[in-house]
Amino acid sequence: MEELEFSNRIDLTELHQGINTIKQEISKVIVGQKNMVNLLLTALLCEGHVLIEGVPGVAKTVTAKLLAKTLQIDFQRIQFTPDLMPSDVLGTSIFDLKKSEFEFKKGPIFSNLILIDEINRAPAKTQAALFEVMEERQITIDGHEFPLEAPYMVVATQNPVDQEGTYRLPEAQLDRFLFKITVDYPNLNDEVEIITREHQAKEPKVDLVSQSINKEQILAYQELAKQVIVEPNLIKYIADIVVSTRSNSFLYLGASPRASIALLKASKAFAAINGRDFVTPEDIKQVAVPILQHRVIVTPEREMEGITAAQIITDSIQSTEIPS
């Protein structure tokens, strides 16, 4: 009996090669952390923002900077501090004496890829300044709208909220992040590799990475990712997962329809970076926890028991029937 061969209905060859090139460039510096890199690239393809949480020193900021280095796009880094004002991020209107009128000076948020370092060290007033720009890709100042140029992506890092000098992010802002990626310590073998590379390094780490794809290619890849095929039974599977969070007794607050849309977009992009033009249940499972864990609130009783949102969501996914 002859084996049947299947080919993609959408040509993803260039996209797959481009993504693999970025991964290879980043791996010249970053040891392990493959899940974080995959999710960052998935977010890039579906025009989402990423929140990376982990203790200091686990390459959160370095990975974001390396991703920016591989892309031929504008990049800005903003260090959030307790005294940072919204105008320091968005920009401000300055009176021009020669023209006798106010002129808007754009802030660092006007770029293609924004790295916000330690986002939870700034107070709620400054964090709220990001609401409009992250959701609508525009800023409204003095009644004037200023659209941002595509592609546009915010990568924010934060230390665990129980550390000194940190603030919890408002739920409305957390909901604007496509993914929340939790970065753990490396294992022993990776730790040895990190130390060895540092010992043998002869030039700055960032100089090891070269640019791979340009702005036009990114926009083309994003359009291709939108065309990835999703069967109706998988759309129902996504809805089942999200709706189950609203009736879970371990959760005080479930996920909103925005989470369902995020699951759809992310699973399509995740399939695309793996060279497939169709979504599988496994794609949905791979992106479900980083999409949902910051959009739900664990009940105080379960939180006191040390049960995390990620654990509850994982159990919920396992109990959700996979469509045949």
Side-chain angles (χ1 to χ4, degrees):
M1 185 176 177
E2 294 183 1
E3 292 186 3
L4 296 175
E5 293 186 2
F6 296 91
S7 59
N8 284 336
R9 288 152 286 188
I10 303 169
D11 187 4
L12 298 173
T13 306
E14 185 182 342
L15 183 153
H16 190 49
Q17 291 174 348
I19 293 297
N20 282 339
T21 302
I22 294 174
K23 290 181 181 179
Q24 290 167 8
E25 291 297 319
I26 293 176
S27 67
K28 292 177 181 178
V29 177
I30 300 298
V31 178
Q33 306 294 8
K34 292 182 180 179
N35 183 56
M36 174 168 58
V37 174
N38 279 334
L39 291 176
L40 280 169
L41 293 172
T42 300
L44 178 67
L45 286 192
C46 58
E47 305 173 60
H49 310 298
V50 177
L51 177 65
I52 308 175
E53 181 180 273
V55 297
V58 289
K60 304 186 300 295
T61 301
V62 172
T63 305
K65 289 175 66 177
L66 291 174
L67 174 62
K69 181 72 184 297
T70 64
L71 308 174
Q72 297 176 32
I73 58 177
D74 294 333
F75 170 70
Q76 288 284 352
R77 174 181 176 178
I78 309 172
Q79 179 68 50
F80 268 32
T81 57
D83 61 347
L84 196 73
M85 298 297 291
S87 58
D88 297 327
V89 177
L90 304 179
T92 186
S93 295
I94 299 175
F95 188 72
D96 190 328
L97 292 174
K98 292 182 178 179
K99 299 179 181 178
S100 295
E101 62 183 21
F102 283 95
E103 182 181 356
F104 179 65
K105 296 292 184 181
K106 294 181 178 180
I109 203 71
F110 285 86
S111 191
N112 296 122
L113 178 58
I114 315 296
L115 169 59
I116 299 178
D117 219 1
E118 297 184 306
I119 188 172
N120 59 338
R121 290 205 179 276
K125 183 178 181 180
T126 303
Q127 292 173 7
L130 300 172
F131 282 14
E132 181 183 14
V133 67
M134 290 179 65
E135 180 64 22
E136 302 175 36
R137 268 71 171 180
Q138 69 173 31
I139 292 171
T140 304
I141 301 286
D142 297 333
H144 299 285
E145 294 180 355
F146 298 90
L148 286 99
E149 185 182 355
Y152 186 75
M153 179 179 178
V154 173
V155 178
T157 70
Q158 72 170 15
N159 297 327
V161 293
D162 56 351
Q163 292 196 346
E164 186 176 353
T166 57
Y167 302 81
R168 284 189 178 274
L169 300 186
E171 285 76 14
Q173 185 175 359
L174 284 172
D175 202 37
R176 281 161 169 74
F177 286 102
L178 177 73
F179 293 134
K180 177 185 175 184
I181 306 172
T182 304
V183 184
D184 294 323
Y185 290 111
N187 59 38
L188 179 59
N189 291 334
D190 286 345
E191 190 91 19
V192 171
E193 178 66 20
I194 291 168
I195 298 169
T196 303
R197 288 192 185 186
E198 187 65 30
H199 174 61
Q200 296 173 347
K202 294 182 174 61
E203 57 182 318
K205 296 176 183 177
V206 179
D207 293 345
L208 297 173
V209 175
S210 58
Q211 291 182 333
S212 302
I213 61 176
N214 58 36
K215 187 180 300 184
E216 289 71 26
Q217 288 174 299
I218 295 171
L219 295 175
Y221 294 169
Q222 289 175 344
E223 289 302 314
L224 283 173
K226 293 176 183 176
Q227 299 173 31
V228 170
I229 299 161
V230 186
E231 296 295 334
N233 59 345
L234 291 182
I235 292 178
K236 172 67 163 49
Y237 181 54
I238 290 171
D240 286 340
I241 291 173
V242 174
V243 171
S244 70
T245 66
R246 301 171 194 167
S247 57
N248 193 311
S249 61
F250 286 10
L251 296 175
Y252 173 73
L253 180 71
S256 70
R258 184 182 283 167
S260 302
I261 296 170
L263 263 175
L264 174 68
K265 291 181 177 180
S267 58
K268 289 165 70 173
F270 194 83
I273 68 174
N274 286 287
R276 282 181 284 102
D277 68 346
F278 60 93
V279 171
T280 67
E282 195 59 35
D283 295 325
I284 298 170
K285 287 182 179 181
Q286 289 290 331
V287 298
V289 172
I291 282 177
L292 295 173
Q293 67 176 341
H294 59 293
R295 301 175 192 269
V296 299
I297 298 178
V298 182
T299 60
E301 297 82 9
R302 300 307 173 190
E303 197 168 19
M304 288 177 65
E305 294 173 7
I307 299 175
T308 65
Q311 292 171 324
I312 296 171
I313 292 164
T314 301
D315 292 342
S316 180
I317 293 170
Q318 290 174 348
S319 61
T320 302
E321 184 180 353
I322 300 175
S324 57

